Amino acid sequence: MNEQTGSNFAIMEATNLDFYYGQVHALKNVNLAIRAHEVTALIGPSGCGKSTFLKTLNRMNDLIEDVRIQGKVTFEGEDIYAKGTDVALLRKRVGMVFQKPNPFPMSIYDNIAYGPRIHGIKDRKRLDAIVEKSLKGAALWDEVHDRLRKNALSLSGGQQQRLCIARVLAVEPEVLLMDEPTSALDPISTQKIEDLIVELKEKYTIVIVTHNMQQAGRISDKTAFFLKGEIIESGETDAIFQTPQDQRTEDYITGRFG
Ligand SMILES: Nc1ncnc2c1ncn2[C@@H]1O[C@H](COP(=O)(O)OP(=O)(O)OP(=O)(O)O)[C@@H](O)[C@H]1O
């Protein structure tokens, strides 16, 4: 397959990545390639650096004081930490969904139209089309099409999380970063989000932090196991779960620690 244009090329790649919060060395020489149109799961015990790594992929950590990063993260071959990088554009192309659904306290419609409006789209018909397409993309349209003017906070938790996914889709990202997107949801909503993630990888590349081993096994193509800031092992999800090479990976996935 052609390295740059095939569906399986490394759309993002971290090389020799170190990250510090002041004196805390949160990521240690992390190397990971994120392949296009795959779901990559980041697993590992609490505090091992999964969220920190996820946030290095769209520079969300820039917002925190006294952080330092060494090494390289590329997006489509370009160093995202290079001087002159348009960080707003990076965050549009590499969107993020958080653990707790966080809709804005405004209508369903305005939640989705918010990003496109910021990026200069004012035309009502175009916005209508974006809202419809994004809600359909997040498998929420059928449930809300007749109440787009209702406050988004009136939706259930699972619907709110799909709204947050629709909000990210509205600005047409290429990569979706998801930080434990189902941890606050009931099993039925979780199932809906999992089905949606599998559907979304046709169009997008997805990186997901999860504490749920079954979830990682069900939805991801690749898995990276983090421990104390390092990647101990990464590769095909089936291989990581069935034939882990490192004893610590096996101990974690079989529930012996963490
Ligand atoms: N804003 C911050 N300031 C200082 N230290 C931080 C900050 N955020 C995270 N850390 C530290 O960095 C390390 C990695 O944290 P991180 O949140 O990336 O872990 P995690 O694997 O995502 O954990 P969890 O599964 O509990 O969400 C931890 O030691 C944590 O205490």
Side-chain angles (χ1 to χ4, degrees):
M1 190 172 293
N2 181 312
E3 264 300 295
Q4 281 304 311
T5 58
S7 64
N8 208 25
F9 79 100
I11 187 167
M12 298 200 80
E13 188 156 16
T15 313
N16 302 332
L17 192 68
D18 281 85
F19 189 93
Y20 302 82
Y21 296 102
Q23 298 299 310
V24 178
H25 193 177
L27 295 177
K28 298 171 188 158
N29 195 33
V30 166
N31 289 280
L32 189 67
I34 310 290
R35 307 229 161 247
H37 300 285
E38 286 192 348
V39 177
T40 300
L42 312 180
I43 63 167
S46 205
C48 66
K50 305 176 299 292
S51 295
T52 300
F53 177 69
L54 193 74
K55 290 180 200 150
T56 63
L57 299 177
N58 74 347
R59 295 188 51 170
M60 286 295 276
N61 291 318
D62 287 17
L63 309 170
I64 301 167
E65 252 179 63
D66 197 22
V67 297
R68 193 155 56 85
I69 189 159
Q70 277 166 5
K72 202 166 168 183
V73 180
T74 57
F75 175 42
E76 292 178 342
E78 303 280 328
D79 182 352
I80 65 170
Y81 286 90
K83 268 203 183 117
T85 298
D86 180 340
V87 180
L89 179 64
L90 172 72
R91 296 200 187 119
K92 174 179 180 301
R93 297 175 73 195
V94 183
M96 190 146 187
V97 176
F98 298 89
Q99 181 171 9
K100 273 210 193 137
N102 56 350
F104 305 132
M106 53 177 80
S107 73
I108 294 169
Y109 185 100
D110 287 339
N111 262 274
I112 312 287
Y114 188 89
R117 280 181 178 136
I118 282 185
H119 292 286
I121 300 175
K122 302 270 183 270
D123 179 70
R124 186 57 200 251
K125 280 218 172 75
R126 253 184 98 190
L127 286 173
D128 286 354
I130 290 170
V131 168
E132 181 170 341
K133 186 172 167 211
S134 307
L135 286 169
K136 282 183 172 162
L140 188 58
W141 175 253
D142 290 348
E143 289 161 65
V144 302
H145 67 92
D146 53 355
R147 50 172 163 149
L148 297 177
R149 295 286 157 203
K150 287 261 162 67
N151 195 304
L153 300 175
S154 67
L155 297 173
S156 73
Q159 289 172 328
Q160 288 188 13
Q161 194 60 304
R162 278 178 286 145
L163 180 73
C164 293
I165 294 172
R167 193 170 64 188
V168 175
L169 299 185
V171 295
E172 304 194 322
E174 287 151 75
V175 179
L176 285 176
L177 309 177
M178 299 182 153
D179 199 351
E180 299 185 57
T182 63
S183 66
L185 304 181
D186 65 82
I188 291 171
S189 301
T190 296
Q191 166 98 50
K192 281 195 179 154
I193 303 268
E194 286 188 9
D195 292 347
L196 177 60
I197 289 171
V198 172
E199 256 176 65
L200 289 173
K201 77 172 179 177
E202 298 256 322
K203 284 198 193 153
Y204 311 93
T205 301
I206 295 167
V207 187
I208 178 171
V209 171
T210 181
H211 278 277
N212 181 329
M213 293 303 102
Q214 283 82 15
Q215 178 169 79
R218 279 192 297 265
I219 66 174
S220 72
D221 302 286
K222 299 281 165 58
T223 294
F225 170 57
F226 282 74
L227 190 64
K228 295 180 185 157
E230 289 178 80
I231 291 187
I232 301 299
E233 198 170 339
S234 66
E236 296 286 335
T237 295
D238 289 348
I240 297 284
F241 279 83
Q242 283 157 28
T243 50
Q245 300 300 300
D246 192 290
Q247 187 62 42
R248 292 165 293 181
T249 315
E250 183 169 344
D251 288 349
Y252 182 70
I253 59 179
T254 55
R256 277 196 279 268
F257 74 87

